Amino acid sequence: HFDYEVGTTTEGQAAKDIDCPQLCYKLNRLLPRDISIREIIPVAQDMHARFSAVARTYHYYIHTGKMPFERHYSYQMPYALDFDAMREGCELLKRQTDFAAFCKAGADNKSTCCTVTEARWVKTSPETWYFEITANRFLRNMVRAVVGTLVDLGRHKITLEQFRHIVEAGRRSDAGESMPGHALFLERVEYPFTNDTNN
């Protein structure tokens, strides 16, 4: 988000509000190719892009075979995975409130409590999957640590009961390794606004 002040015209009158489509067009002409602005929307003065959000959704992408065109955006999984077991693990996550087990050691968090409303594995082709998780907030490194621990469950390195214990005990040292960051994407951020620019 950004703040702006309405200027005045040469006649001393208040200038009109920003032409959002035109500003969007001009910014996209200036920005590098890997950044794109899709829309600019006026919001309330107290709106904050980070702190006003009520939900965030992340996707973590994996593929099971060698796929050259996916290598920058998805993690190649060299192991066979039991996705049924991993789905059971996802159901446990939705019943948990404290995610200290998946918080980066030494992180400065006032609370490790999060409300997870969605956690699931989605198959998009015979060789591609993504993990989707939605919560009101996330801890530093949380999603990659969750995926790493679910992968341990899917490889049968731990049982479902051990997974439950890891989640409930809240010790980062018990959980799995964090997965590489290149396959993690912030997919969606939700705000308590309607399309009304006054909300």
Side-chain angles (χ1 to χ4, degrees):
H1 71 273
F2 66 92
D3 300 324
Y4 76 97
E5 294 182 5
V6 176
T8 57
T9 65
T10 54
E11 292 79 19
Q13 299 173 329
K16 293 181 180 179
D17 285 343
I18 287 178
D19 182 339
C20 293
Q22 184 66 13
L23 178 59
C24 185
Y25 168 78
K26 289 180 177 180
L27 287 174
N28 278 323
R29 293 286 302 269
L30 296 171
L31 289 167
R33 291 184 178 182
D34 57 349
I35 300 175
S36 174
I37 297 177
R38 299 178 66 180
E39 189 175 10
I40 296 173
I41 304 170
V43 294
Q45 288 186 352
D46 60 352
M47 184 273 179
H48 191 285
R50 178 182 174 192
F51 300 119
S52 299
V54 295
R56 301 153 175 85
T57 298
Y58 283 91
H59 285 183
Y60 193 92
Y61 293 87
I62 66 170
H63 55 283
T64 55
K66 188 174 182 181
M67 304 179 74
F69 295 111
E70 300 291 335
R71 70 188 189 281
H72 295 302
Y73 312 105
S74 177
Y75 176 74
Q76 184 177 346
M77 182 59 60
Y79 311 107
L81 296 175
D82 181 348
F83 281 96
D84 289 335
M86 293 161 70
R87 288 188 182 103
E88 291 186 67
C90 289
E91 292 304 310
L92 291 177
L93 292 173
K94 289 189 280 187
R95 297 196 290 269
Q96 181 66 18
T97 56
D98 192 331
F99 289 85
F102 306 111
C103 180
K104 187 176 180 68
D108 184 21
N109 293 299
K110 294 180 180 179
S111 170
T112 53
C113 291
C114 308
T115 302
V116 173
T117 54
E118 184 62 77
R120 63 182 184 142
W121 284 95
V122 179
K123 186 175 184 178
T124 54
S125 82
E127 294 184 307
T128 57
W129 298 75
Y130 66 84
F131 172 67
E132 179 178 271
I133 185 167
T134 301
N136 64 325
R137 64 189 292 263
F138 286 91
L139 308 174
R140 185 179 177 191
N141 204 53
M142 175 176 159
V143 180
R144 292 193 290 140
V146 165
V147 175
T149 311
L150 285 170
V151 166
D152 284 348
L153 179 61
R155 293 177 60 192
H156 297 158
K157 291 180 67 176
I158 58 173
T159 65
L160 185 63
E161 191 55 40
Q162 288 172 318
F163 181 84
R164 184 197 308 274
H165 175 76
I166 289 168
V167 174
E168 293 176 352
R171 292 187 296 269
R172 180 65 186 95
S173 57
D174 293 340
E177 293 185 11
S178 293
M179 300 293 285
H182 72 279
L184 177 66
F185 291 86
L186 176 61
E187 187 73 19
R188 185 172 64 252
V189 181
E190 298 172 49
Y191 297 97
F193 317 135
T194 66
N195 288 330
D196 183 350
T197 57
N198 295 320
N199 292 328

